[in-house]
Amino acid sequence: MKKVRARYAPSPTGHLHIGNARTALFNYLFARRYGGEFLIRIEDTDVARNVEGGIESQLNNLKWLGMNWDEGPDIGGNFGPYNQLQRLDLYKKYAHELLDKGFAYKDYKEGSEDYAIRFKVPENVTYSFDDVIRGTLKFESSDVEDWIILKDNGIPTYNFAVVIDDHYMEITHVFRGEEHITNTPKQLMVYDAFNWEYPTFGHMTIIVNEDRKKLSKRDTNTIQFIEDYKNLGYLPEAMLNFLSLLGWSPKDDEEILSKEELISLFDEHKLSAAPSYFDKQKLAYINSRYIKMLTLDELKDLTRPFLMNQGVEIKNELWFESLLTILKDRLNNGAEITKYYDEFFHENFNLNKEVLNEIKDFDNETLLNKFLELIETIDFTDSSLIEQVIKETGKQTQIKGKALFMPLRVATTGELHGPSLPVQLSLLGQDIVKERIKQTLQILKGETK
Ligand code: GLU
């Protein structure tokens, strides 16, 4: 078998989109699975659509996701250059070869010496290829009109350049979006004209949104660019894992898979032709699973920028670590740290009726006064001391269970539920806790009058 060579061939028209990232990933996994090579080629011939910084952004995001390549515009290689606009001589040479052999003709611009080169589509030919994902696909030449391969400005069209490059770069396998199925007959004509061997094609399934419509860049309900996920504190390993499941599934049901596992499990015959649903809940779940695997230091690095951006004062590293210990299991992404911080540590303290109602039957005054007295002398940075004081309060007042914990939580946080109370109180700090309890006692007095 020939050495496997697969490529990702983006047009630099914007940031790395989920669909493109998935295309890159499947080619990458395939190449690595078979010990082959993976390269990046920039298809920048649609000059009007190229955006400034588009290539860098694509490459940076692919790197962030954990993919690496053996050849590409940034690192070169034996088959370069890897930008199509730098390969114009090559396309010109081959276009003229087709002219000379009668497979193409000159199409003059009216009243000018300039001409485009147009491919002469042969009559009554059936083109067919075996798609790895969809089986044999057939096309009739009568459905295709003569088409331009080289424009009068010397720039090739996609369907021509892609063939020259895939042949020249010795590409053996092409996995790409299903929107390219209809382009394939034009490409096969060029392969045939030169008597070149086709690569193996696999046209991947579309990705659909909640409404089962093809994910489109205009669909504002779904975040679609890798960069945006990065900025929200998603982890690259989780994104890579999630992308791998868009139109592919491993043999057994285990879906949390590292890059190395994906490479060893990747099987192109398990690629599906059925639309793949972009399941946001699944992405959140996968990311939360990877967040749980982080070390404390990694978790700090992930969440710190979000807290800082929000203007949250990180009192000290110990404080930060306690905060993360109690919030870690709730996080679906890094940005959510501020949501939970606000939920559990908001500065405005107010007790609403509903919450007060839940504790109205307990002996709150005795309890809260005793707790106030006992916390006076302890070191609040140590949550285990707070835990002891809660127990001691219970013992001395003979109050137990819900009657003990619920009023203490309500009086200090204004909430009925939350993470570990001793840690939460320690994080809030002694002054705030005392202040809130006093306030609650005032409110309770008012209520009973
Ligand atoms: N530049 C094309 C695209 O971005 C690549 C298509 C192909 O892989 O042949 O869709």
Side-chain angles (χ1 to χ4, degrees):
M1 188 173 154
K2 266 202 279 180
K3 188 177 189 87
V4 163
R5 283 177 55 87
R7 67 357 180 236
Y8 168 55
S11 304
T13 55
H15 290 295
L16 185 61
H17 183 261
I18 291 162
N20 291 334
R22 193 249 330 230
T23 301
L25 179 60
F26 285 175
N27 283 288
Y28 167 81
L29 292 175
F30 179 81
R32 294 292 177 251
R33 167 74 179 80
Y34 294 102
E37 281 151 353
F38 173 62
L39 61 98
I40 293 185
R41 178 178 73 229
I42 304 296
E43 304 206 323
D44 50 2
T45 55
D46 195 349
V47 181
R49 293 185 61 220
N50 292 345
V51 301
E52 175 99 19
I55 300 174
E56 289 71 20
S57 163
Q58 290 259 344
L59 299 187
N60 288 339
N61 282 295
L62 290 173
K63 263 185 217 147
W64 180 76
L65 284 168
M67 284 178 245
N68 61 334
W69 44 95
D70 307 298
E71 298 159 33
D74 53 339
I75 52 172
N78 290 336
F79 299 83
Y82 292 86
N83 292 55
Q84 289 187 327
L85 282 182
Q86 289 169 24
R87 303 164 64 78
L88 296 181
D89 287 347
L90 190 72
Y91 311 124
K92 191 171 161 191
K93 176 183 148 213
Y94 283 110
H96 281 271
E97 195 175 317
L98 290 184
L99 263 184
D100 295 344
K101 290 181 174 164
F103 287 104
Y105 57 90
K106 292 179 182 172
D107 183 349
Y108 284 93
K109 223 184 191 170
E110 225 178 72
S112 151
E113 294 286 282
D114 295 341
Y115 59 88
I117 298 180
R118 208 176 264 278
F119 193 88
K120 196 193 295 171
V121 176
E123 277 171 36
N124 301 322
V125 176
T126 304
Y127 292 97
S128 96
F129 69 98
D130 293 323
D131 190 291
V132 185
I133 304 166
R134 293 157 201 269
T136 304
L137 299 177
K138 285 193 166 66
F139 306 86
E140 298 304 325
S141 64
S142 54
D143 293 330
V144 186
E145 288 178 2
D146 291 356
W147 53 284
I148 290 177
I149 56 177
L150 199 72
K151 293 188 270 187
D152 58 21
N153 60 7
I155 295 182
T157 55
Y158 155 69
N159 281 311
F160 183 62
V162 74
V163 175
I164 305 301
D165 285 344
D166 283 342
H167 172 78
Y168 180 86
M169 294 180 175
E170 297 177 12
I171 298 301
T172 57
H173 294 77
V174 172
F175 294 98
R176 61 187 175 190
E178 108 176 333
E179 66 276 14
H180 288 295
I181 291 178
T182 50
N183 286 323
T184 313
K186 285 184 180 168
Q187 298 173 16
L188 299 185
M189 290 172 201
V190 180
Y191 280 104
D192 284 357
F194 287 115
N195 220 353
W196 291 340
E197 204 182 316
Y198 304 162
T200 302
F201 293 100
H203 289 92
M204 298 174 303
T205 174
I206 54 165
I207 303 172
V208 295
N209 64 17
E210 278 119 345
D211 306 325
R212 309 286 149 172
K213 294 224 176 70
K214 183 174 174 179
L215 205 63
S216 119
K217 291 183 188 167
R218 287 176 296 277
D219 180 354
T220 49
N221 280 328
T222 308
I223 303 171
Q224 301 193 22
F225 293 98
I226 298 300
E227 184 104 15
D228 294 333
Y229 284 101
K230 178 175 164 187
N231 293 337
L232 280 170
Y234 281 80
L235 298 171
E237 298 81 4
M239 287 306 296
L240 189 91
N241 191 159
F242 173 73
L243 289 168
S244 77
L245 302 172
L246 292 172
W248 177 78
S249 51
K251 266 205 300 291
D252 39 32
D253 282 341
E254 180 52 43
E255 292 203 313
I256 302 294
L257 298 163
S258 68
K259 185 171 78 180
E260 288 66 32
E261 287 169 317
L262 289 170
I263 290 172
S264 71
L265 289 172
F266 192 76
D267 176 355
E268 67 280 17
H269 299 108
K270 302 279 291 175
L271 287 165
S272 162
S276 164
Y277 170 46
F278 188 91
D279 186 344
K280 293 175 196 165
Q281 261 95 36
K282 185 161 160 181
L283 173 56
Y285 166 74
I286 292 180
N287 204 51
S288 75
R289 287 277 302 260
Y290 280 82
I291 286 180
K292 290 193 180 80
M293 292 189 253
L294 293 180
T295 64
L296 198 52
D297 279 338
E298 288 167 336
L299 192 61
K300 282 159 86 174
D301 290 343
L302 178 72
T303 52
R304 194 191 301 268
F306 296 104
L307 289 171
M308 286 175 58
N309 259 343
Q310 193 86 345
V312 173
E313 188 205 343
I314 294 176
K315 292 179 192 157
N316 55 58
E317 290 308 294
L318 214 65
W319 180 91
F320 189 22
E321 286 165 16
S322 306
L323 178 78
L324 291 175
T325 334
I326 54 169
L327 298 186
K328 175 177 177 163
D329 286 347
R330 298 173 191 255
L331 297 180
N332 286 331
N333 59 52
E336 280 188 354
I337 189 77
T338 59
K339 171 178 135 191
Y340 290 113
Y341 180 85
D342 288 347
E343 191 171 327
F344 300 124
F345 300 96
H346 47 78
E347 281 178 12
N348 313 345
F349 176 68
N350 53 45
L351 288 169
N352 65 39
K353 279 217 171 67
E354 194 191 322
V355 166
L356 278 174
N357 204 33
E358 288 290 320
I359 62 164
K360 70 175 189 318
D361 297 331
F362 303 136
D363 184 0
N364 300 314
E365 267 192 56
T366 311
L367 175 81
L368 294 177
N369 280 316
K370 179 50 82 184
F371 186 67
L372 259 187
E373 179 197 321
L374 295 180
I375 56 174
E376 196 60 50
T377 53
I378 63 163
D379 172 7
F380 236 64
T381 58
D382 183 349
S383 64
S384 72
L385 294 177
I386 301 179
E387 196 175 342
Q388 278 174 33
V389 163
I390 296 177
K391 279 198 191 124
E392 187 58 28
T393 307
K395 229 193 236 163
Q396 294 192 21
T397 57
Q398 307 270 325
I399 298 174
K400 288 198 280 272
K402 200 174 166 190
L404 172 65
F405 289 102
M406 193 70 98
L408 283 179
R409 184 180 290 283
V410 166
T412 52
T413 68
E415 308 284 338
L416 292 166
H417 307 283
S420 153
L421 188 61
V423 180
Q424 200 179 349
L425 296 188
S426 166
L427 289 165
L428 282 166
Q430 197 161 16
D431 292 344
I432 293 184
V433 169
K434 277 162 62 180
E435 180 54 41
R436 288 181 175 182
I437 293 178
K438 283 178 191 158
Q439 233 175 298
T440 307
L441 282 166
Q442 284 297 325
I443 294 168
L444 289 170
K445 249 188 217 150
E447 293 265 308
T448 50
K449 256 178 216 159

